[in-house]
Amino acid sequence: TVSLGTPTCIARDAIASAGRRLGGQVTQLLIDYGLVLLFVLVAIESAGIPVPGETGLVTAAFLAHQGHYSIVWVIVVAAAGAIAGDNVGYWLGRLGGRRLLERWSVTRRYAERALPLAERFFAKHGAKAVFLGRFVAILRVTAAWMAGISHMHWWLFGLWNALGGILWAIGIGLLAYFAGKAAGDAVGRY
């Protein structure tokens, strides 16, 4: 007799096997190109495009915990991406951010209300905003642009941007590295 469940089992096993192979290939790609991908994600996010840069840092730190990378290199690459991307965002904001916001009527109305407030805020609290913005998701994407649009002095921006980017990479990187170790140890025990 032939079991009706056999084709289903064969299909399920084939799908599971293909999933393991694909998962292994994706993991290998992350291991091979992960630090480059980390730099790109963090830099793009810092330049003002909302992509998962911090998630990339957490993932890279977890892979470092597993022995695929040095945590020091993960932190250095993330900090470099944050600093480089924020500088791109700053100069985009400074050289063309206001014109971009004033180009369309919907953003022009918003800019007319928001930019004077933002400029006053950055004149008073720009250094703190750039530094603390690194640790808050929505500000991580917008702080560099606003610093540029507000014509914050570049040297002041650069100093607080570098300090924030380095401390962010160290803090999030080490937190993910040691949390990954704790999670791995807990799973291994049970």
Side-chain angles (χ1 to χ4, degrees):
T1 61
V2 175
S3 168
L4 293 176
T6 302
T8 304
C9 290
I10 292 170
R12 184 186 66 225
D13 291 345
I15 290 170
S17 176
R20 281 191 300 276
R21 282 194 310 275
L22 180 60
Q25 291 170 346
V26 169
T27 301
Q28 193 58 48
L29 280 172
L30 279 175
I31 292 167
D32 291 345
Y33 301 104
L35 293 179
V36 172
L37 182 60
L38 173 63
F39 180 88
V40 169
L41 281 173
V42 171
I44 289 173
E45 179 186 47
S46 298
I49 299 173
V51 297
E54 190 167 76
T55 302
L57 174 54
V58 169
T59 302
F62 182 75
L63 288 171
H65 159 72
Q66 292 181 329
H68 297 292
Y69 306 126
S70 159
I71 188 61
V72 171
W73 278 110
V74 168
I75 290 168
V76 166
V77 168
I83 294 165
D86 272 342
N87 273 281
V88 169
Y90 172 87
W91 286 107
L92 287 172
R94 184 155 182 148
L95 299 175
R98 183 176 294 281
R99 282 192 309 271
L100 182 65
L101 289 174
E102 292 173 348
R103 186 172 186 165
W104 297 283
S105 62
V106 67
T107 56
R108 186 179 318 114
R109 285 190 303 267
Y110 175 75
E112 288 169 354
R113 286 180 290 141
L115 285 182
L117 293 170
E119 288 170 335
R120 282 194 302 275
F121 178 83
F122 265 85
K124 200 177 213 181
H125 306 288
K128 290 179 274 192
V130 168
F131 177 79
L132 295 173
R134 171 57 41 201
F135 298 91
V136 180
I138 190 71
L139 295 178
R140 192 167 36 252
V141 176
T142 59
W145 273 77
M146 287 310 304
I149 288 172
S150 301
H151 289 266
M152 181 179 184
H153 290 289
W154 179 83
W155 65 268
L156 186 62
F157 169 80
L159 172 72
W160 289 102
N161 169 46
L163 188 59
I166 291 166
L167 290 178
W168 170 78
I170 291 170
I172 300 299
L174 290 178
L175 180 66
Y177 180 83
F178 289 114
K181 179 177 178 354
D185 291 346
V187 168
R189 261 182 286 186
Y190 304 104

